[in-house]
Every structure is written in structure tokens, then in C-alpha cells.
Amino acid sequence: MTSARAHPRTHPKHAHDDAPDTSADFRRIADLPDGQEKEILRQDVVRAWMPMAERIASQFRNRGESSEDLRQVAMVGLVKAVKRYEPDRGSAFESYAVPTVVGEVKRHFRDHMWGLHVPRRVQELRNRVRTAIQELTRSPDDRSPSVKDIARHTGMTEEDVLVGMEALDSFRTLSLDAALRGADDGYALVDTLGSTESSYERVVQRESLKPCLRRLPAREREILYLRFFCDETQSRIADRLGISQMHVSRLINRTCARLGQEVGARAA
């Protein structure tokens, strides 16, 4: 069995010095039936092309992902390329493997690097804006391109450029406990967020009850006032009105049930 590791590291027709000549191995793989021998030969070819995958992975560094994770993702793409490549189609393996590995790395960024779900269109706008900024900034002395510059360079609308620019640094979400920039008193992002005001619901409930309370007989209104606003016990209310505590309890339950039905009917 011929091993890819025995081949010369370069070949005149390849564009990079990390592209070994494994054409004979691929022809051998195509002729072999599925089994251990075929799998071992594929592994040899993968090892031979690993420098190419590592080179591609290095092109995506400094984008929020560790170098080792990028390398692993690139290797997954390489394994897929070796397994799917068909030498009979006539194209060189490198021309098939490079877009396969690049696609795998880009898919990793698209599917795993966003802290929140971002629409595919926004991700594409971000990539176009990032590429345009790199192309328009030729040296460290160049000024950052404006929105109009990027729109003119890419053919995008200025609105789309702004969307893409907002997404440039959006892979990671910011903790609500993070201190605000320039805040010296520990003021955090969470302190700027609003919260549900429970008193608003009370206002709605009271306003809904007012017309219903006005229609109650005077004694029922007085009992509810003493019980729920003055915090009187049922026994003290009974003594004050000259009725039994049991009667007070029945009146409260009946009146509250009636009010609940009326308010519910009004809401419906």
C-alpha cells in the first residue's frame, strides 16, 4: 500500500507548498472497497493535507474564536473533503478541499459564535462590511472608511451598511452585570433597564372596580371599606353593624364574587 506520507511535499501544479501530491492515493481509494485498508489510506491523506487546513484556519484568527477550536473545525472540513472527493471528475483535490474547509469554518462562525440568534441576512451584511473595511484600509495610516465609502465600494445601501456595522462586534453578548463605560460608582447595564411597575395594574383594577362599587348597597360598601381599607376584623365589623360575624363573612364573600363577575364581564 502506498502512503501519502512517502510522497514529495510539493508538486509543480499546486499553488501552495502545503499541497502534497496525493493523486495516486485518491485513485487507489476510489478502487478499494469499503473497509479498514481504505480507511487507513484516507487517514494518511488527511494527515498529508493537515498543513493546508491549518493555514486556512489561521486566516480566521482574531475573530473571537480560539486558534485550537478553529483548527479542529478546519480538520472536520478536511476529513469531509477527503471522503467526498471524486478524482474521476478531473479537478485537483486542492480546488475541492479549500472551499470545503473554508465553508466548514464559516458555518461554525454562523451557527456557534453568536450569543443570540441573528438573522442570516444580518450575518451576510456583517461579512460584506467587514471585507469592505479590510479592502479600503490598505495601511495603518488609512482612515476608517465612512458609511458612504463602504456603500459605494460594495453597492449596498447605507441602511444595510449601518446594519452590518452594528453586527460587527456582536458575536458575544454583554453581561447585565457589566459596569457601564465611564461609570465610577459601579452603575451596571442592568440599572438602565426598566421593570414592570406593579402599581400600574392596581390602578387598572381600582378604576375597573369604581363603577361596580358605586352600585353596591351602602351596607356592603361599608363592610368592604372596613375590612379591606381599615383592616377591621369580621368580628369588630359585626359588632359595629349589629349583625353576626357569620353574616359579615357571607356578605363579604357574596359581594366579592359579584364584583369579580362584573369586572370580568366588562373586560370581556
Side-chain angles (χ1 to χ4, degrees), residues 20 49 55 88 212 223 235 243 265:
W49 284 91
R55 170 173 56 83
D88 292 341
C212 301
I223 290 174
S235 297
I243 57 179

Side-chain angles (χ1 to χ4, degrees), residues 78-190:
L78 174 60
V79 170
K80 290 181 178 180
V82 170
K83 186 174 183 180
R84 298 171 182 172
Y85 176 62
E86 298 179 12
D88 292 341
R89 291 184 177 271
S91 60
F93 175 68
E94 185 178 10
S95 64
Y96 176 79
V98 169
T100 302
V101 175
V102 170
E104 192 70 24
V105 175
K106 288 184 175 180
R107 187 158 44 248
H108 173 76
F109 276 94
R110 184 191 70 202
D111 296 339
H112 301 288
M113 290 298 294
W114 297 89
L116 296 174
H117 173 71
V118 177
R120 179 75 175 272
R121 175 177 175 274
V122 175
Q123 296 182 30
E124 293 174 348
L125 292 177
R126 172 194 176 277
N127 293 335
R128 293 179 65 185
V129 168
R130 180 178 57 78
T131 301
I133 292 175
Q134 292 175 345
E135 293 173 349
L136 293 172
T137 308
R138 299 299 182 182
S139 70
D141 297 332
D142 289 345
R143 66 176 180 84
S144 298
S146 66
V147 173
K148 288 184 178 180
D149 293 335
I150 298 173
R152 185 165 49 248
H153 182 74
T154 60
M156 300 164 60
T157 65
E158 293 186 15
E159 290 77 8
D160 283 346
V161 171
L162 288 172
V163 172
M165 293 179 72
E166 289 178 355
L168 276 176
D169 299 315
S170 300
F171 276 134
R172 293 286 185 261
T173 54
L174 183 63
S175 170
L176 292 177
D177 295 325
L180 292 179
R181 184 177 301 176
D184 299 327
D185 55 357
Y187 199 66
L189 180 61
V190 67

